[in-house]
Amino acid sequence: MELPRLVILISGSGSNLQAILDAIEDGTISAVPCLVVSNRKKAYGLVRAEQAGVPTAYFPFKPYRDEGKSREEYDADLAMLLWPYHPDLIVLAGWMHILSAAFLNHFPHKVINLHPALPGQFAGTHAIQRAYEAYQRGEVDHTGCMVHFTVPEVDAGPVIAQAEVPILPTDSLADLEARMHQMEHRLLVTAVRDVLAQH
Ligand code: GRF
């Protein structure tokens, strides 16, 4: 039986990508990583993919913006870049670009996103810092992370898995970020494995 095909989209260091690659290596996830795409040239995640022998692509939005083209045109072309790889699952692992229906409509129920906050909380960027500041103001006593199916609305969509992350009175922001990333790595691997098990 052919193994499911994974495409992973990143924009940064790629520690969550690494968690997936390590889980494939140790057999926790049964899948083939067939492409890693970054919209940022200097994303260290591209180095991680190359070291693991996974094909990579750099696909920036800037040339589209410079030519006055829309996000939808970029998203549609991104879908065409991925199409030949026949992905069974597309994982947004620190991908910092909101995908529109022009992309998502090509891969129904096949795109999942990781976000460092609980459902309905701190959608968008800097979610860990915003949770930390809300804690300082006494508005929250914990935070968390989630993996969800992607819809055009940012950090929304049916939740696949979520986990609480405690915030301690002695925490610096860096302490909370480290604890969050550890939980994210575990949650994302479990979510990918479970979604693929339903295929
Ligand atoms: C993660 O915290 C993810 O939830 C957020 O961006 C970060 C990416 O980390 N969207 P990395 O590039 O996988 O290390």
Side-chain angles (χ1 to χ4, degrees):
M1 194 184 70
E2 268 197 53
L3 286 175
R5 302 169 61 78
L6 275 187
V7 169
I8 302 123
L9 275 55
I10 63 164
S11 297
S13 135
S15 69
N16 287 284
L17 162 66
Q18 191 68 57
I20 294 173
L21 296 175
D22 294 348
I24 291 171
E25 184 71 23
D26 71 22
T28 306
I29 293 176
S30 299
V32 181
C34 48
L35 180 69
V36 169
V37 180
S38 176
N39 59 347
R40 301 204 178 131
K41 198 176 183 72
K42 294 203 174 92
Y44 184 68
L46 291 172
V47 176
R48 296 176 191 270
E50 281 145 19
Q51 285 171 348
V54 180
T56 62
Y58 165 51
F59 197 69
F61 176 57
K62 187 174 182 310
Y64 286 75
R65 192 176 46 232
D66 295 350
E67 289 170 29
K69 289 183 174 175
S70 68
R71 297 176 70 90
E72 284 71 21
E73 286 172 282
Y74 171 84
D75 291 357
D77 288 352
L78 177 63
M80 288 311 107
L81 172 72
L82 270 57
W83 192 255
Y85 293 85
H86 306 294
D88 294 293
L89 188 62
I90 298 167
V91 182
L92 310 182
W95 167 257
M96 304 308 275
H97 169 93
I98 302 164
L99 292 168
S100 66
F103 176 92
L104 297 169
N105 288 352
H106 292 277
F107 306 104
H109 316 298
K110 286 187 176 179
V111 185
I112 66 173
N113 181 49
L114 171 69
H115 183 62
L118 292 170
Q121 292 191 346
F122 309 113
T125 57
H126 310 300
I128 305 174
Q129 182 181 345
R130 289 155 55 206
Y132 182 75
E133 290 163 358
Y135 174 82
Q136 307 299 332
R137 291 192 301 268
E139 293 165 5
V140 299
D141 60 11
H142 67 277
T143 182
C145 49
M146 65 167 172
V147 179
H148 60 93
F149 284 103
T150 309
V151 295
E153 191 195 340
V154 64
D155 299 325
V159 175
I160 298 162
Q162 62 186 83
E164 292 194 2
V165 174
I167 308 175
L168 309 179
T170 53
D171 273 349
S172 65
L173 176 55
D175 295 332
L176 179 59
E177 284 169 343
R179 190 176 308 121
M180 176 68 76
H181 294 323
Q182 267 191 343
M183 182 62 83
E184 284 189 302
H185 298 161
R186 286 203 299 274
L187 191 78
L188 185 59
V189 166
T190 310
V192 169
R193 186 198 60 200
D194 295 352
V195 170
L196 291 175
Q198 286 150 28
H199 262 88

